[in-house]
Amino acid sequence: MKLQGRKDLSLEDRLRLQSHLDPATGCLIMDKKVMSSGYCQIRVKGKLRLAHIVAFELAGGVIPEGFDIDHLCSNRRCINPSHLEAVSHSVNVKRMYDRGRGVPVIRRLDVFQASEIKRMYAAGEGNQAELAEKFRISPQHVNGIINGRRWPGA
């Protein structure tokens, strides 16, 4: 079903129609294109928002100032509110490392590695999240390298 321009559908219906249930995990998986971060977005009142946050709020969840939404299932495409929990950023990061995700060691790159990241991204040899994992740096660091904010001479 084409959803573009359908003003008669509620936000809840749009989320439901753009996702499917994984019976093995109970995850409600968004079928939309995934961002390089691994998350999905949905347009709400003309603005793009992260789908899992929208689903959490629609289910009555409250996100205190400065808190993140933790995917208890570790699936960034999951929008099942029972798999989501509002936690402090430090708790979210700790859980991410405890689950074997993320980059627990901060690395320093040299100009050759930064150049290689730029080359690989331009050649389509990995998205930002994949390159971050390969070089053991954050996706934000990769984004800064690709956009010239970090290692502009690379």
Side-chain angles (χ1 to χ4, degrees):
M1 169 187 274
K2 184 179 175 188
L3 298 179
Q4 191 104 6
R6 292 283 311 263
K7 301 202 185 285
D8 59 324
L9 292 175
S10 69
L11 189 52
E12 292 90 342
D13 286 341
R14 288 177 37 222
L15 281 171
R16 184 178 47 78
L17 291 169
Q18 295 178 44
S19 60
H20 69 275
L21 180 65
D22 179 344
T25 64
C27 289
L28 191 56
I29 308 294
M30 284 295 290
D31 297 322
K32 295 184 69 155
K33 182 179 176 190
V34 179
M35 299 169 23
S36 63
S37 63
Y39 296 102
C40 294
Q41 294 179 314
I42 189 165
R43 193 167 297 279
V44 180
K45 296 181 181 176
K47 295 186 179 183
L48 285 173
R49 295 196 52 213
L50 293 173
H52 67 286
I53 293 175
V54 172
F56 183 80
E57 291 173 340
L58 284 172
V62 176
I63 307 170
E65 183 74 29
F67 273 46
D68 296 339
I69 297 298
D70 180 21
H71 284 84
L72 302 173
C73 57
S74 295
N75 185 339
R76 292 178 180 182
R77 291 177 54 205
C78 180
I79 60 167
N80 183 340
S82 67
H83 290 196
L84 305 171
E85 180 183 17
V87 297
S88 70
H89 181 69
S90 61
V91 167
N92 195 25
V93 170
K94 181 182 181 323
R95 287 180 178 177
M96 180 177 64
Y97 295 142
D98 290 348
R99 294 174 185 145
R101 294 182 31 240
V103 186
V105 177
I106 296 174
R107 291 200 50 223
R108 295 199 183 271
L109 298 178
D110 58 37
V111 69
F112 302 107
Q113 291 169 313
S115 294
E116 181 66 0
I117 288 169
K118 275 185 153 175
R119 184 201 67 74
M120 290 175 74
Y121 184 77
E125 295 177 20
N127 63 33
Q128 292 180 26
E130 292 166 342
L131 292 171
E133 190 171 322
K134 177 178 175 54
F135 286 87
R136 298 186 60 182
I137 59 175
S138 72
Q140 294 81 8
H141 197 147
V142 171
N143 183 274
I145 292 168
I146 291 166
N147 292 313
R149 291 187 311 276
R150 295 183 179 198
W151 291 101

